[in-house]
Amino acid sequence: MRKNSAKQTDRERDLGVEFKKHPVVAALVLALLLATKAVYAQSEAIPSLAELGGQWQSAPSLRSLPALNNTRGAAQVASDLVSIENVSFPPITMAGETGGMSINGRRPALQETRWFPYQVLRRGAAEGIAIESSTRMPYSENGFLFHLVFSNQGPSVQTFELKINLSASTSLHRNWGWEVPRDGNRFAAAVSEGGSGLVLRDVSGGLANCFFFARKPDKLFAQDGSGTAIWRIMLKPRSSMSIDYALALGAKEADVRALAGKWVRRFSSAFEQVEHDWQERFEAMFTPNNRYFSGHLPRLVTRDEKLRRVYYVSVASLLATYRTSFPLAPRVYVSNAPHYNNIMVYFWDTREWATVLALLDPAMLKEYLRQWLTKDIHRGYAEEFLTGSLQGPWYSANDFSVFLQIDTYLNVTGDHAFLAEKINGKTVLEHMDALATYWKTLVRPGRTLADYGEAPNLLECVPTYIHEVPSFNAANVWMMRRLAAIYAAEGNSGRAEELRSEAKTLLAAVLNLYEPGQGVFDSLHRDGTRVQMRHVFDYTTVGLTITSDLSEQTRREMTGFVERELLTDHWMRAQSLTDPAAANSDRPDHGPMGAFSAWPAETIAVMSEFGQYGKALDFLHRCAEVTSEGPFSQSRELLGKTSDAPTRIASRGDQDYYVSSGASFAETIIREFFGYQPDWVTHTTVANREPRGFEGQLLNVSQVGRKLTINSTPRGLNVEER
């Protein structure tokens, strides 16, 4: 060791002599070393949420304006520089908007918006005045903070009248469904706080809301159920001024007045606290033994900036759906916000980020599972967390989704005692058996495959994706095989053999639906018709459940179909434009003009399972582009039929700005790019150690009480225990 150190010292001494002769070279080498060190340091740090924000977007080009969240609710900015809509703090909702702005009687046009996890920025101009607004939600309270900056960029003095209309018509609802109830009550308005505030009182006495201004308006008056604030402003050339105000919503007038007053009296501090609280919670998601979550996620270290951005934006997208105010659970990751499903968790949606949830919040996942196993999940597609009731029709994905979540929980935590826990009179293992074999009740006389019903039970908008579909029948094969492995590990070899035999018979029927040379499968309708399904859902579900049963040629054909007919420059279409039902399936999540956020992530996962890592990494890199607009939302819409068509966060077709399934990209990176697929039965942690095509580390990976580091190197994956 000393000898090596001496040689190193000699080498450094020689280099020092050479550098003295060539100072320019020395400076360049030093700069390169410092830059390399800086890149490494940046890649190792958890990014700031400011870094993960989107870029400025032309507001007229957007299909859905940016949305806001906190741990209690959600909202969306309206097509104005200050107004917000789609507000809900369950059980309270708001109808309409909070009121717009005018300058000298003219409404400024909204020109640009920019999304951050903790705020939305808006830009516009009117009467020679440039305007920028920032809207934030205090992290764990019912309300909003508005920071407006007015700038005179011209050479002469500008004098103008600023008017802001004030409205907040809220109502309280104990029974919600997919639709958010927004029938606002009648309110009476009154000026308060010596002319610095406006109180809106529900005439029935149930609710109250309060606007409070840091800079007292020159005039503030109340109207029937609303109000108006007016300032007369003079701006010198190239100068700016700001207006700050708050809106608190709640049940008691005294409380909302106190809350709004608290924020306004220390507005700068309250405003900055929002970003701080978001960042603290975000960093806690990657911190072992943190005080917010029962687990944590791995930290990704890589110089692949696109991979890094996709991973962390995916996790930030999940954090936007995190709620802590529901009566039935300490933490809930709602499926959507802010338009629909604000209090609901879809069984199907949790499947797409099962490992993420098991790592981040195993205690919460276990509570989910306990609740779901007490319910008849064949009578609804989601649980809502105000009353615990089931909502919607049955989804065909329910059995597979809940089974997968149980299995993932067991694999990540090693909590095998959970298998013997009794829920509603049956052990968890018995529940798993019921989930894995429920398909047999759906087999029609004389048939082999399960019949999953009509479009509302499946992809909803695709009229031909019905009856005997390949996807969930392939999932049945996987469930029975997995259950057989668990029974064998538990010593019940007889039941294991029964399940393997049934899986073999069902597998043959699934493979018979394949169209050789086409790369797609058929669905088999009740009238005996075979209908070709040129849809991503068969690629992802079949590809992830019966991978080893697909020949190399079939795998190449399946991916070839996806590359030719579904992938675009930065996203994908869920359904081929040549699918027989494409013209009747036009919804941005499942149709030919866009895709649900989980579909690209799962497509990347299948490419990886097929050993096509180069294609998987390339597609992930291309998907990074969409994050310049905002989070991984419910779906991205393609604004054209060509491969280079722009993509936008969708709103038509009842699409939401936020979705918990945005976490599916992080799921794919953890499971496929780093191979983390723990299995308590086989005692394995990393499923495949082949090279992935990038270099990086996944730090603090939890596995049954251990902390692992998974390294991706040019030679493949390796695992270190720390």
Side-chain angles (χ1 to χ4, degrees):
M1 184 66 71
R2 289 178 182 174
K3 192 172 183 180
N4 289 339
S5 298
K7 287 183 178 179
Q8 182 66 27
T9 302
D10 292 342
R11 189 181 303 115
E12 289 172 348
R13 186 181 301 116
D14 292 340
L15 286 172
V17 171
E18 291 299 316
F19 283 160
K20 286 180 181 179
K21 296 178 183 178
H22 305 284
V24 174
V25 174
L28 290 173
V29 170
L30 179 60
L32 179 61
L33 289 171
L34 290 173
T36 302
K37 185 176 181 181
V39 168
Y40 271 110
Q42 181 182 10
S43 70
E44 290 177 2
I46 296 171
S48 71
L49 291 174
E51 176 189 342
L52 297 181
Q55 302 302 311
W56 283 104
Q57 304 290 320
S58 167
S61 75
L62 300 179
R63 294 301 184 266
S64 184
L65 291 172
L68 297 153
N69 288 273
N70 67 9
T71 62
R72 299 186 63 83
Q76 188 168 33
V77 303
S79 54
D80 181 270
L81 283 158
V82 294
S83 189
I84 53 176
E85 60 184 354
N86 295 319
V87 175
S88 63
F89 294 102
I92 295 173
T93 67
M94 190 188 85
E97 300 181 12
T98 57
M101 169 202 299
S102 65
I103 291 182
N104 291 339
R106 296 181 58 187
R107 181 178 180 179
L110 177 61
Q111 297 171 340
E112 294 181 299
T113 67
R114 189 178 183 189
W115 170 86
F116 291 84
Y118 55 89
Q119 70 175 349
V120 174
L121 303 183
R122 288 176 272 186
R123 282 178 178 169
E127 303 290 307
I129 303 298
I131 309 159
E132 183 170 317
S133 71
S134 173
T135 310
R136 300 182 179 184
M137 297 172 69
Y139 196 66
S140 57
E141 296 172 301
N142 290 10
F144 303 89
L145 304 176
F146 302 86
H147 174 61
L148 317 178
V149 178
F150 301 86
S151 301
N152 178 5
Q153 299 173 336
S156 59
V157 173
Q158 291 277 13
T159 302
F160 60 94
E161 180 185 81
L162 168 66
K163 181 185 293 184
I164 299 178
N165 296 322
L166 309 169
S167 177
S169 179
T170 52
S171 55
L172 188 148
H173 301 270
R174 297 296 180 188
N175 296 308
W176 293 34
W178 177 77
E179 292 272 5
V180 177
R182 298 197 185 279
D183 50 339
N185 294 341
R186 192 164 70 85
F187 280 76
V191 176
S192 67
E193 322 306 330
S196 293
L198 181 80
V199 174
L200 303 171
R201 302 183 182 95
D202 176 5
V203 296
S204 65
L207 298 170
N209 308 309
C210 180
F211 289 91
F212 208 126
F213 297 91
R215 173 172 172 164
K216 183 178 177 180
D218 295 320
K219 186 176 182 181
L220 178 62
F221 58 88
Q223 298 149 203
D224 184 21
S226 63
T228 303
I230 299 173
W231 294 263
R232 294 178 180 86
I233 298 170
M234 184 185 74
L235 277 179
K236 295 179 180 180
R238 294 174 178 81
S239 66
S240 301
M241 60 85 65
S242 63
I243 297 288
D244 299 323
Y245 67 101
L247 167 61
L249 301 93
K252 296 180 180 180
E253 179 178 335
D255 292 344
V256 297
R257 289 175 66 171
L259 194 57
K262 178 188 74 172
W263 295 333
V264 163
R265 279 188 287 272
R266 300 184 61 191
F267 188 87
S268 295
S269 176
F271 198 72
E272 293 170 3
Q273 188 66 37
V274 175
E275 182 180 358
H276 175 272
D277 289 344
W278 268 91
Q279 187 69 33
E280 180 181 59
R281 201 67 54 100
F282 183 64
E283 291 181 5
M285 297 177 86
F286 306 97
T287 304
N289 304 314
N290 68 83
R291 64 192 181 97
Y292 297 112
F293 307 95
S294 59
H296 67 277
L297 293 174
R299 183 158 56 92
L300 173 63
V301 177
T302 180
R303 285 184 288 172
D304 185 328
E305 285 302 313
K306 290 183 178 179
L307 175 62
R308 181 174 181 268
R309 180 168 178 83
V310 167
Y311 180 73
Y312 284 110
V313 171
S314 179
V315 176
S317 300
L318 175 63
L319 184 57
T321 69
Y322 171 74
R323 303 289 183 265
T324 60
S325 58
F326 292 114
L328 298 183
R331 293 177 300 281
V332 174
Y333 304 86
V334 295
S335 288
N336 300 86
H339 286 91
Y340 312 103
N341 312 330
N342 282 274
I343 64 170
M344 294 163 58
V345 175
Y346 277 73
F347 308 123
W348 191 342
D349 288 6
T350 61
R351 176 182 67 81
E352 292 133 1
W353 50 287
T355 306
V356 167
L357 182 52
L359 286 168
L360 174 64
D361 222 337
M364 187 69 258
L365 173 54
K366 192 173 186 178
E367 286 306 307
Y368 278 170
L369 295 171
R370 283 172 170 155
Q371 290 184 46
W372 295 346
L373 294 180
T374 67
K375 303 179 187 303
D376 184 353
I377 62 170
H378 304 112
R379 294 183 177 274
Y381 53 35
E383 179 182 11
E384 58 91 347
F385 278 82
L386 280 181
T387 67
S389 64
L390 287 178
Q391 297 290 325
W394 164 65
Y395 268 175
S396 302
N398 289 2
D399 293 286
F400 178 39
S401 301
V402 177
F403 183 99
L404 182 68
Q405 282 286 18
I406 297 171
D407 188 56
T408 304
Y409 171 79
L410 294 170
N411 288 328
V412 170
T413 66
D415 181 11
H416 307 142
F418 188 49
L419 280 172
E421 183 176 322
K422 283 204 168 185
I423 299 173
N424 266 20
K426 293 195 297 187
T427 66
V428 170
L429 180 56
E430 289 170 333
H431 280 289
M432 293 182 77
D433 198 315
L435 292 166
T437 59
Y438 180 78
W439 67 273
K440 293 194 286 187
T441 69
L442 304 175
V443 178
R444 296 169 69 83
R447 309 298 305 164
T448 302
L449 295 162
D451 183 327
Y452 280 101
E454 305 298 330
N457 307 121
L458 290 151
L459 296 176
E460 297 178 332
C461 65
V462 183
T464 54
Y465 201 87
I466 56 175
H467 303 158
E468 296 179 21
V469 296
S471 55
F472 291 121
N473 277 292
N476 295 332
V477 173
W478 178 84
M479 283 192 287
M480 288 190 292
R481 286 173 166 175
R482 181 59 187 166
L483 186 61
I486 293 173
Y487 272 123
E490 295 288 294
N492 191 342
S493 58
R495 181 60 179 145
E497 187 53 40
E498 290 173 358
L499 289 163
R500 291 191 186 103
S501 177
E502 290 182 293
K504 183 178 180 180
T505 300
L506 186 59
L507 173 65
V510 172
L511 294 176
N512 188 50
L513 296 176
Y514 183 66
E515 288 281 0
Q518 293 291 314
V520 300
F521 290 78
D522 296 338
S523 67
L524 189 57
H525 291 190
R526 289 173 185 167
D527 62 3
T529 306
R530 288 177 65 121
V531 180
Q532 209 172 86
M533 295 290 103
R534 308 189 80 81
H535 199 283
V536 68
F537 192 61
D538 287 332
Y539 178 76
T540 58
T541 309
V542 172
L544 290 173
T545 54
I546 57 171
T547 315
S548 61
D549 301 293
L550 305 172
S551 68
E552 285 298 324
Q553 180 175 341
T554 298
R555 296 181 189 189
R556 287 194 299 270
E557 291 173 355
M558 289 173 66
T559 299
F561 154 70
V562 169
E563 291 178 308
R564 289 190 310 273
E565 301 187 29
L566 301 185
L567 300 192
T568 65
D569 288 359
H570 301 297
W571 199 242
M572 71 184 301
R573 61 188 84 254
Q575 184 181 33
S576 170
L577 291 164
T578 65
D579 187 280
N584 301 314
S585 310
D586 186 19
R587 206 173 78 180
D589 53 350
H590 301 323
M593 298 306 295
F596 180 55
S597 277
W599 300 157
E602 290 197 336
T603 295
I604 294 166
V606 174
M607 290 176 172
S608 300
E609 288 291 323
F610 286 179
Q612 301 161 351
Y613 294 112
K615 294 180 178 182
L617 185 60
D618 174 68
F619 185 34
L620 181 134
H621 284 163
R622 287 151 58 186
C623 288
E625 176 66 25
V626 304
T627 66
S628 64
E629 180 183 353
F632 289 113
S633 58
Q634 183 173 348
S635 64
R636 285 299 200 288
E637 181 175 7
L638 301 172
L639 307 186
K641 295 184 178 181
T642 60
S643 179
D644 63 352
T647 63
R648 286 289 182 264
I649 293 175
S651 64
R652 73 179 182 89
D654 297 334
Q655 302 297 289
D656 244 325
Y657 198 84
Y658 288 107
V659 65
S660 61
S661 292
S664 57
F665 279 89
E667 178 85 5
T668 290
I669 290 169
I670 292 169
R671 287 185 59 83
E672 304 298 340
F673 284 17
F674 284 92
Y676 177 70
Q677 298 181 24
D679 187 333
W680 71 270
V681 173
T682 60
H683 305 290
T684 57
T685 299
V686 173
N688 187 317
R689 296 179 182 246
E690 293 179 18
R692 272 22 181 207
F694 73 94
E695 293 183 57
Q697 291 180 303
L698 211 56
L699 306 179
N700 289 326
V701 183
S702 293
Q703 176 58 28
V704 194
R706 299 181 296 159
K707 294 292 184 293
L708 309 176
T709 294
I710 304 176
N711 302 292
S712 176
T713 75
R715 302 178 68 177
L717 302 182
N718 63 71
V719 182
E720 304 171 38
E721 184 169 354
R722 302 205 171 183

